[in-house]
């Protein structure tokens, strides 16, 4: 048994020494690493003194060791507490006071008999005689352990990885202290039982395990690079020795020299072996590195896939807010960030960037990240278009500072450089305040149009080069979507203008039309022939203008989503007859037959807006007449599958496939010798298609140049919820 206990002690010594050295040397500047090293050193002190204590028989040395043992625990809880506080990034404000308290207590423990009065060796058991202040000592232990555990579990750490680290180390501390307090304080002090003291110390194994686990799997002290190097190096050596040995063995077998190899053969064998290693070393190393990277630095996204998805999503949004949201979601999701914010700027006073929009994800509120109009951060990024990594920036500033100190010890520092340095410091502070790990300014033509601020990753991993490339590529997308959104906003203003202007124009033009038709009406009075001719021209122009204005108004309403559609159950045949009545004179004028083919079965009523349906019919039939020089225009109706089909067929000029492909676009008009002189706006079919889609219908076309065209549109016979349609 004692052999096993001894072995465990040795193992703990080695692990503690290695761990302390490793963590300290890994980054001795980091406070976290310093506290941990001191914590583990104190625990080592506890273990060593206890180990010696249990093997010592001299009364005086025993007392000395016993007191050191208590003092070591006193120190351990203090450093353990500071370590936990450092993990949750809430360093204690009372460090100095706590240090003095610990220092005094440990000194009292070590040098007086107030806590550990004396140690005795009776019947192979070491008995402690507790001093009068031992309660105070217990209070010190319990106080630190309890507040460390309390801070660990109460802390509002957003970072999931830190949470896991805390949980694991918390469990380790809890188990260790619970056992150690029972065996080394409660049992001896209250129940006078000293037999388990030695085993109690081994409870640190739990703590060791939890720390080792956190280091390996939860990236405490970020040792993955070290692990990678060690794993790769060890495996590489192993593989090479195996290959090399195997090679020599096979060579010996082939040469059948048994175990005796001549020096010539051995030279050849070695030469070949070394050549083989020479060639295979690098590819092997790379392969091993990639394999270990796969496990240690798991790639969680595919750059191409992220960009493809983002482009797809951006294509579906037009507004600035949506675009910014989409861009940020994409980065945050791919890199698992805690939060992100984007500022969009527009030229303000004297052309300097003024904030136009702030969008954020994961911050408490926009006010939290608000930047002043003339903020030095904005100013700084106007002049520095490159991506900024806060950690690197901080490092640069440190170096800059040390250069200042070196260059100008007398204090005659160049004022511009000092000012630049101060600005950078202020920018750094702001970035720290906003918890920004990466800042990406967005520039167009040397103008700052946006600024993307990204937090650390949830897992606190550092940003890889690949991550930064992804961020930059997404930045490019952000720039173009900001531009697109600006254009769209401009477009929206334009269409609002068109909407208001056309509405205002419609009233006077209707009045002009009305009065002209009255003047031209023979019944109301005589107009002389010449004047009548001119007035008729004015009347036609006014009518054309009125059509154009109505079309523009419809388009602007469609685009603003304000086109009123009030569908109802409708007798389509009646509307077709009305259309024919309205247009039959125009057709007659052109000597074109306007036919209506009644359906074979009686037609069910359709679900549509009567005015809009009339607008569609008039548009299609008047187009058919307009673009037909001789022959006929035929309207047919049919129905199946709960849809009514209306065909408007003509024997007119027709269209090529290429022309057809643009037909439903805004302002598109076929430019050909046959269409010259035919007046139109190029808006009719666009409006027709938009209205049909809004009513749950559709439109299609068959046409061939010189043979005529046949437009077919459908309307539903059942009630369609408008909200279900776009
Ligand atoms: P427009 O006011 O120019 O008639 P539309 O949007 O109604 O505008 O039509 C767009 C273009 O489609 C027309 O300019 C014409 O070139 C072509 N088009 C429309 N209907 C027909 C048709 N029935 N036959 C031949 N071309 C047509």
């Amino acid at each position: 048994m004692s052999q096993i206990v001894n072995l465990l002690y040795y193992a703990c010594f080695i692990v503690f020494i290695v761990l302390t050295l490793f963590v300290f040397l890994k980054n001795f500047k980091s406070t976290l690493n310093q506290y941990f090293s001191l914590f583990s050193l104190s625990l080592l002190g506890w273990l060593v003194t206890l180990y010696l204590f249990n093997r010592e028989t001299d009364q005086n040395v025993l007392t000395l060791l016993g007191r050191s043992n208590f003092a070591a625990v006193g120190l351990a809880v203090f450093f353990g507490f500071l370590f936990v506080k450092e993990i949750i990034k809430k360093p204690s404000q009372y460090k100095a006071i706590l240090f003095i308290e610990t220092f005094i207590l440990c000194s009292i423990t070590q040098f007086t008999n107030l806590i550990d009065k004396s140690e005795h060796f009776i019947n192979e058991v070491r008995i402690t005689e507790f001093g009068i202040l031992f309660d105070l000592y217990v209070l010190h232990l319990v106080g630190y352990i309890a507040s460390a555990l309390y801070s660990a579990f109460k802390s509002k750490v957003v970072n999931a990885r830190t949470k896991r680290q805390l949980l694991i180390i918390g469990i380790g501390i809890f188990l260790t202290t619970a056992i150690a307090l029972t065996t080394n304080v409660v049992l001896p002090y209250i129940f006078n039982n000293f037999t388990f003291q030695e085993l109690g110390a081994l409870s640190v194994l739990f703590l060791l395990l939890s720390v080792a686990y956190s280091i390996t799997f939860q990236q405490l002290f970020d040792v993955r690079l070290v692990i990678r190097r060690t794993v790769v190096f060890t495996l590489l050596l192993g593989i090479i020795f195996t290959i090399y040995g195997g090679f020599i063995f096979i060579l010996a077998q082939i040469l059948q020299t048994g175990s005796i190899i001549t020096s010539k053969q051995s030279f050849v064998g070695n030469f070949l072996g070394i050549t083989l290693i020479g060639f295979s070393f690098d590819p092997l190393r790379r392969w091993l590195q990639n394999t270990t990277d796969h496990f240690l630095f798991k790639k969680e996204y595919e750059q191409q896939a992220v960009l493809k998805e983002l482009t797809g999503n951006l294509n579906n949004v037009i507004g600035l807010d949506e675009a910014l949201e989409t861009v940020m979601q994409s980065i945050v999701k791919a890199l698992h960030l805690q939060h992100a914010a984007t500022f969009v700027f527009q030229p303000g006073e004297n052309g300097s960037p003024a904030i136009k929009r702030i969008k954020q994800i994961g911050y408490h509120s926009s006010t939290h990240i608000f930047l002043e109009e003339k903020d030095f951060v904005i100013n700084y990024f106007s002049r520095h278009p490159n991506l900024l990594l806060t950690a690197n920036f901080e490092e640069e500033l440190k170096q800059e500072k040390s250069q200042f100190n070196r260059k100008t010890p007398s204090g005659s520092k160049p004022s511009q450089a000092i000012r630049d340095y101060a600005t950078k410091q202020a920018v750094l502070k702001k970035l720290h305040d906003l918890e920004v790990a990466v800042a990406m300014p967005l520039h167009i033509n040397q103008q700052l149009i946006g600024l993307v601020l990204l937090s650390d990753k949830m897992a606190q991993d550092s940003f890889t080069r690949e991550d930064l490339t992804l961020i930059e590529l997404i930045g490019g997308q952000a720039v173009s979507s900001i531009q697109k959104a600006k254009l769209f906003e401009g477009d929206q203003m334009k269409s609002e203008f068109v909407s208001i202007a056309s509405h205002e124009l419609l009233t006077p033009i209707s009045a002009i039309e009305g009065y002209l038709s009255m003047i031209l009406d023979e019944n109301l009075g005589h107009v002389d022939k010449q004047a009548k001719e001119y007035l008729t021209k004015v009347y036609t122009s006014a009518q054309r203008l009125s059509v154009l204005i109505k079309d523009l108004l419809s388009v602007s309403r469609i685009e603003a989503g304000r086109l009123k559609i009030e569908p109802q159950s409708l007798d389509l045949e009646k509307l077709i007859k009305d259309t024919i009545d309205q247009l039959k004179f125009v057709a007659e004028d052109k000597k074109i037959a306007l036919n209506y083919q009644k359906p074979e079965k009686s037609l069910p009523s359709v679900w549509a807006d009567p005015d809009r349906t009339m607008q569609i019919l008039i548009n299609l039939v008047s187009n058919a007449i307009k673009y037909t020089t001789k022959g006929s225009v035929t309207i047919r109706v049919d129905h199946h599958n709960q849809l009514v089909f209306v065909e408007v067929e003509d024997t007119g000029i027709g269209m090529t496939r290429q022309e057809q492909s643009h037909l439903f676009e805004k302002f598109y008009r076929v430019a050909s010798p046959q269409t010259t002189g035919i007046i139109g706006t190029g808006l009719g079919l666009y409006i027709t298609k938009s209205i049909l889609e809004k009513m749950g219908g559709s439109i299609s076309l068959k046409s061939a140049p010189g043979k005529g065209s046949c437009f077919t549109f459908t309307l539903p016979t059942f009630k369609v919820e408008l909200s279900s349609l776009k």
Side-chain angles (χ1 to χ4, degrees):
M1 176 67 186
S2 70
Q3 284 288 38
I4 297 173
V5 173
N6 275 354
L7 271 179
L8 281 175
Y9 263 101
Y10 299 145
C12 282
F13 293 160
I14 294 172
V15 174
F16 266 115
I17 293 169
V18 171
L19 197 66
T20 313
L21 278 177
F22 168 75
V23 170
F24 186 69
L25 294 178
K26 172 90 202 345
N27 187 0
F28 58 85
K29 281 187 194 154
S30 142
T31 336
L32 183 73
N33 293 38
Q34 287 167 2
Y35 286 149
F36 180 78
S37 306
L38 288 168
F39 175 51
S40 101
L41 212 59
S42 323
L43 286 176
L44 181 66
W46 180 43
L47 276 182
V48 172
T49 47
L50 201 70
Y51 174 80
L52 294 175
F53 179 79
N54 281 305
R55 280 148 196 81
E56 184 59 60
T57 45
D58 184 316
Q59 206 68 47
N60 290 334
V61 182
L62 206 62
T63 305
L64 197 74
L65 280 173
R67 288 179 182 167
S68 308
N69 186 254
F70 280 118
V73 180
L75 278 179
V77 291
F78 169 67
F79 288 123
F81 169 76
L82 292 185
F83 169 62
V84 169
K85 285 287 219 183
E86 201 60 36
I87 295 188
I88 55 175
K89 295 206 173 90
K90 286 224 168 62
S92 169
Q93 294 170 338
Y94 311 106
K95 241 183 275 172
I97 299 173
L98 296 180
F99 177 72
I100 294 170
E101 184 271 329
T102 306
F103 182 77
I104 294 173
L105 186 97
C106 289
S107 304
I108 295 175
T109 315
Q110 185 66 61
F111 302 113
T112 71
N113 60 1
L114 294 172
I115 284 162
D116 182 354
K117 198 168 178 191
S118 63
E119 301 284 354
H120 305 285
F121 183 62
I122 303 164
N123 295 336
E124 299 216 347
V125 177
R126 281 119 194 111
I127 309 278
T128 307
E129 214 178 305
F130 296 105
I132 45 166
L133 291 185
F134 191 73
D135 289 338
L136 201 70
Y137 175 80
V138 175
L139 196 71
H140 168 88
L141 295 195
V142 174
Y144 276 104
I145 295 166
S147 41
L149 289 175
Y150 179 79
S151 325
F153 291 109
K154 267 281 147 178
S155 82
K156 290 196 186 86
V157 214
V158 257
N159 184 326
R161 200 186 60 183
T162 311
K163 255 189 207 155
R164 283 197 300 272
Q165 286 175 352
L166 276 176
L167 184 72
I168 293 158
I169 293 184
I171 292 173
I173 293 181
F174 178 75
L175 286 176
T176 300
T177 48
I179 296 173
L181 277 178
T182 317
T183 55
N184 295 30
V185 178
V186 178
L187 286 180
Y189 189 48
I190 302 173
F191 299 101
N192 241 349
N193 182 343
F194 291 85
T195 35
F196 298 104
Q197 276 195 4
E198 194 175 23
L199 284 179
L202 292 175
S203 62
V204 288
L205 278 172
F206 289 110
L207 187 67
L208 275 183
L209 274 177
S210 72
V211 172
Y213 182 85
S214 298
I215 287 181
T216 324
F217 298 106
Q218 302 298 325
Q219 291 127 43
L220 182 70
F221 306 119
D222 205 13
V223 291
R224 286 171 307 160
L225 267 179
V226 181
I227 296 181
R228 174 172 96 162
R229 259 181 242 144
T230 321
V231 169
V232 169
F233 187 68
T234 320
L235 286 178
L236 207 57
L237 279 185
I239 292 176
I240 281 169
F241 277 121
T242 317
I243 295 179
Y244 190 63
F247 184 72
I248 298 282
F249 176 77
I250 292 167
L251 205 71
Q253 294 290 314
I254 294 170
L255 296 174
Q256 287 186 338
T257 49
S259 56
I260 308 141
I261 300 174
T262 65
S263 63
K264 209 172 169 188
Q265 282 166 347
S266 118
F267 174 76
V268 174
N270 278 331
F271 177 75
L272 287 175
I274 289 170
T275 320
L276 187 74
I277 289 172
F279 279 110
S280 54
F281 188 84
D282 214 44
L284 242 174
R285 185 184 55 84
R286 251 181 283 134
W287 177 76
L288 279 173
Q289 231 161 42
N290 284 343
T291 319
T292 41
D293 281 2
H294 181 73
F295 289 105
L296 294 172
F297 305 91
K298 241 185 185 165
K299 251 201 251 158
E300 279 164 346
Y301 63 89
E302 280 298 328
Q303 206 177 72
Q304 288 309 321
V306 173
L307 288 173
K308 208 171 145 199
E309 191 187 328
L310 176 64
T311 318
N313 291 346
L314 281 177
N315 279 342
N316 292 333
V317 301
I318 18 182
L320 186 57
D321 281 319
E322 281 175 295
L324 296 179
E325 178 97 27
T326 313
V327 167
M328 280 195 299
Q329 287 288 4
S330 161
I331 305 185
V332 167
K333 209 174 99 195
L335 300 177
H336 296 284
L337 304 182
Q338 296 163 358
H339 49 72
T342 306
F343 295 79
V344 176
F345 305 108
Q346 62 190 11
E349 273 171 46
N350 347 316
S352 58
I355 296 179
K356 180 179 177 195
R357 203 72 60 87
I358 306 176
K359 195 91 197 151
Q360 50 92 13
I361 297 180
Y363 279 100
H364 296 308
S365 70
S366 294
T367 45
H368 186 67
I369 47 161
F370 186 71
L371 292 177
E372 292 294 323
E373 204 77 320
K374 284 195 178 122
D375 200 287
F376 43 83
V377 174
I378 303 179
N379 199 352
Y380 178 82
F381 285 109
S382 312
R383 288 178 287 118
H384 297 85
N386 295 335
L387 188 113
L388 180 147
L389 252 169
T390 312
N392 289 0
F393 190 53
E394 191 169 358
E395 206 52 45
E396 263 170 45
L397 284 188
K398 267 187 202 153
Q399 276 174 15
E400 232 172 81
K401 192 179 178 187
S402 63
Q403 268 171 11
F404 274 148
N405 294 343
R406 233 179 300 138
K407 259 195 227 152
T408 51
S410 56
S412 57
K413 291 169 186 169
S415 62
Q416 182 55 38
I418 283 281
R419 243 180 284 141
D420 281 353
Y421 175 76
T423 317
K424 285 189 204 163
Q425 274 294 354
V427 170
L428 180 68
K429 184 172 178 307
K430 189 88 191 182
L431 293 178
H432 276 313
D433 286 351
L434 300 179
E435 295 171 26
V436 173
V438 178
M440 176 174 49
L442 309 173
H443 279 251
I444 292 181
N445 304 331
Q446 290 157 355
Q447 270 273 328
L448 181 72
I449 62 151
L451 179 62
V452 181
L453 302 178
L454 306 175
S455 74
D456 256 319
K457 294 184 190 175
M458 297 269 201
Q460 301 267 295
D461 290 355
S462 36
F463 287 83
T464 62
R465 203 173 296 161
E466 204 186 355
D467 293 340
L468 298 182
T469 320
L470 179 79
I471 295 175
E472 275 180 336
L473 289 171
I474 293 183
Q477 300 258 34
V479 169
S480 47
S481 56
I482 290 175
Q483 275 183 312
K484 190 176 117 187
K486 278 185 176 166
L487 281 178
F488 167 73
E489 283 181 0
D491 236 28
Q492 240 185 352
M493 271 168 61
K494 262 186 248 157
S495 62
E496 249 163 60
F497 169 76
V498 169
S499 165
I500 295 166
S502 32
H503 199 85
E504 292 307 310
L505 284 172
L506 211 53
T507 325
I509 205 73
S510 306
I512 296 173
E513 253 187 296
Y515 285 117
L516 279 174
S517 77
M518 280 200 296
I519 297 171
L520 290 173
D521 188 348
E522 290 290 330
N523 299 331
L524 291 179
H526 179 73
V527 182
D528 88 63
K529 206 176 159 218
Q530 188 67 30
K532 191 174 177 182
E533 199 181 306
Y534 294 146
L535 283 173
T536 312
K537 280 189 180 154
V538 177
Y539 182 55
T540 321
S541 296
Q543 272 183 320
R544 218 183 287 157
L545 197 58
S546 150
V547 169
L548 175 66
I549 290 170
K550 279 182 190 150
D551 277 359
L552 283 176
L553 200 59
S554 298
V555 169
S556 76
R557 279 188 186 145
I558 287 170
E559 290 188 346
R562 282 190 283 112
L563 189 79
K564 252 201 217 146
I565 288 179
E566 285 163 356
Q568 49 183 266
S569 193
L570 207 71
D571 177 6
L572 195 62
E573 279 200 280
K574 184 177 174 312
L575 287 188
I576 294 173
K577 279 177 194 146
D578 290 349
T579 310
I580 293 175
D581 281 345
Q582 261 197 45
L583 294 173
K584 67 177 175 218
F585 301 110
V586 189
E588 268 168 22
D589 270 359
K590 284 187 82 176
K591 304 205 167 44
I592 291 169
L594 186 55
N595 313 316
Y596 171 55
Q597 268 183 23
K598 275 180 165 277
E600 284 167 13
K601 317 168 258 184
S602 72
L603 206 62
S605 48
V606 292
W607 184 256
D609 179 310
D611 293 341
R612 301 291 169 213
T613 312
M614 190 71 186
Q615 195 176 349
I616 293 166
L617 281 167
I618 299 254
N619 191 19
L620 291 180
V621 178
S622 67
N623 268 357
I625 301 169
K626 217 160 59 168
Y627 299 102
T628 302
T629 35
K630 60 173 194 285
S632 60
V633 170
T634 313
I635 305 168
R636 284 185 212 94
V637 206
D638 198 1
H639 79 99
H640 43 88
N641 288 345
Q642 293 190 296
L643 286 176
V644 169
F645 292 75
V646 183
E647 263 179 31
V648 180
E649 192 176 22
D650 63 56
T651 56
I653 58 174
M655 278 164 279
T656 63
R657 272 191 180 282
Q658 220 267 332
E659 288 160 354
Q660 289 173 43
S661 65
H662 297 285
L663 208 63
F664 298 98
E665 288 168 16
K666 228 182 334 177
F667 296 112
Y668 177 78
R669 305 202 65 219
V670 174
S672 69
Q674 288 100 314
T675 57
T676 38
I678 302 179
I679 291 158
T681 60
L683 290 173
L685 286 178
Y686 169 80
I687 296 170
T688 302
K689 186 167 188 260
S690 305
I691 296 174
L692 273 168
E693 281 171 357
K694 280 192 188 300
M695 296 198 299
S698 63
I699 184 162
S700 61
L701 158 75
K702 274 190 205 140
S703 179
K707 299 215 165 110
S709 311
C710 179
F711 285 85
T712 309
F713 73 88
T714 64
L715 280 174
T717 56
F718 53 94
K719 185 171 177 175
V720 181
E721 284 306 324
L722 284 187
S723 55
S724 67
L725 301 166
K726 262 199 163 180

